[in-house]
């Protein structure tokens, strides 16, 4: 059972459209990270959100951490073909040592 | 500043064989984590090494083992390979603790078991 559920699993849109990807859990996380992964490569960190309710913007990408630190969303405005990839969220839990839990990913395809 | 590097990039093995994958962490990073990623899925945590010891482990059998060297580089060994071990194996390095700990991933090793 996945601790973090991402939706949708797949998304195919036209260039210029807006989209939102969701990352949900019944569990509280100390922080949450978003990554983008392209085929044949490792995930690349986009952002880390730490505080409940935190909103971060990275050009056309807006990331939000839920008030209860159980969920997060990624919104892309005016998507471009270069945004195509697998988007992964990862929640951090602090035990004796930090442990990251990954969602199953959202595969985004932006058509020109 | 070199990022996380992994070798080899691709590997083909047959069932029952053993494999060793290698990882060099980002400069200044002392912690190395290994993940297995099936096609189209999120990475699954295998284990983490710090100060040459396995610090925590995910839900993987003992066929998966590892090692960390004094220079913080690491190896992942998989014995008695099964078809289901075919996946992308990712290495991530990180430093520090706390909520802002950040992992940096290598490009991965694509393992195919026939």
């Amino acid at each position: 059972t996945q601790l973090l559920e991402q939706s949708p699993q797949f998304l195919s849109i036209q260039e210029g459209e807006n989209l939102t990807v969701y990352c949900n859990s019944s569990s509280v996380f100390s922080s949450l990270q978003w990554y983008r992964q392209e085929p044949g490569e490792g995930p690349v960190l986009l952002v880390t959100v730490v505080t409940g309710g935190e909103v971060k913007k990275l050009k056309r990408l807006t990331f939000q951490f839920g008030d209860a630190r159980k969920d997060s969303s990624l919104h892309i405005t005016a998507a471009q073909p270069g945004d195509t990839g697998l988007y992964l969220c990862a929640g951090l839990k602090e035990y004796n040592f930090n442990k990251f839990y990954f969602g199953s990913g959202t595969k985004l395809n932006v058509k020109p | 500043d070199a990022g996380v590097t992994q070798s080899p990039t691709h590997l083909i093995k047959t069932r029952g064989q053993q494999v060793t994958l290698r990882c060099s962490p980002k400069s200044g990073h002392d912690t190395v984590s290994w993940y297995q990623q099936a096609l189209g899925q999120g990475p699954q945590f295998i284990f983490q090494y710090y100060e040459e010891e396995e610090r925590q482990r995910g839900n993987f059998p003992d066929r998966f083992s590892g090692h960390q060297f004094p220079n913080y580089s690491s190896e992942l060994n998989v014995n008695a390979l099964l078809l289901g071990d075919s996946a992308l194996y990712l290495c991530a390095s990180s430093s520090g603790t706390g909520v802002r700990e950040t992992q940096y991933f290598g490009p991965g090793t694509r393992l195919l078991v026939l």
Side-chain angles (χ1 to χ4, degrees):
Chain A
T1 305
Q2 206 86 23
L3 201 57
L4 277 166
E5 296 290 339
Q6 284 188 240
S7 62
Q9 277 187 288
F10 301 95
L11 199 50
S12 183
I13 61 173
Q14 291 294 139
E15 182 177 1
E17 291 183 7
N18 300 333
L19 67 118
T20 302
V21 176
Y22 299 94
C23 176
N24 295 308
S25 177
S26 57
S27 204
V28 176
F29 292 96
S30 299
S31 65
L32 197 131
Q33 301 182 339
W34 283 93
Y35 294 83
R36 181 171 69 215
Q37 184 178 22
E38 299 189 24
E41 298 182 11
V44 175
L45 179 70
L46 297 174
V47 77
T48 299
V49 285
V50 176
T51 308
E54 183 176 0
V55 176
K56 278 194 173 179
K57 292 192 176 184
L58 193 67
K59 296 184 181 177
R60 294 177 294 102
L61 278 61
T62 302
F63 304 86
Q64 185 163 9
F65 201 11
D67 291 342
R69 291 187 287 125
K70 292 183 180 180
D71 53 78
S72 181
S73 64
L74 157 60
H75 181 80
I76 301 179
T77 304
Q80 298 176 0
D83 296 327
T84 294
L86 179 69
Y87 287 82
L88 296 161
C89 65
L92 172 67
K93 281 192 172 287
E94 296 176 278
Y95 298 112
N96 291 330
F97 311 107
N98 288 349
K99 188 169 181 181
F100 290 91
Y101 295 86
F102 277 84
S104 53
T106 293
K107 194 165 185 180
L108 172 65
N109 180 35
V110 182
K111 294 175 282 187
Chain B
D1 175 24
V4 180
T5 59
Q6 292 186 244
S7 63
T9 55
H10 295 81
L11 206 49
I12 300 176
K13 292 285 188 179
T14 56
R15 279 180 299 175
Q17 284 190 311
Q18 178 263 343
V19 69
T20 297
L21 311 181
R22 295 175 177 82
C23 170
S24 290
K26 189 174 169 64
S27 178
H29 287 187
D30 54 11
T31 302
V32 173
S33 301
W34 286 92
Y35 292 83
Q36 180 194 66
Q37 186 178 26
L39 202 61
Q41 298 294 313
Q44 297 292 317
F45 176 72
I46 302 175
F47 43 54
Q48 182 183 76
Y49 277 84
Y50 173 72
E51 292 191 345
E52 302 180 51
E53 290 197 359
E54 183 182 293
R55 186 159 72 172
Q56 49 181 326
R57 188 179 182 94
N59 191 26
F60 278 79
D62 292 344
R63 297 187 298 110
F64 289 78
S65 64
H67 189 78
Q68 186 179 34
F69 300 92
N71 66 353
Y72 306 128
S73 67
S74 177
E75 288 183 349
L76 164 64
N77 302 293
V78 187
N79 294 323
L81 284 166
L82 303 174
L83 296 179
D85 295 331
S86 295
L88 180 68
Y89 288 85
L90 294 165
C91 169
S93 73
S94 58
S95 64
T97 57
V99 298
R100 295 198 180 274
E101 177 181 344
T102 299
Q103 293 188 109
Y104 293 86
F105 284 85
T109 293
R110 174 73 64 186
L111 172 64
L112 177 61
V113 182
L114 301 175

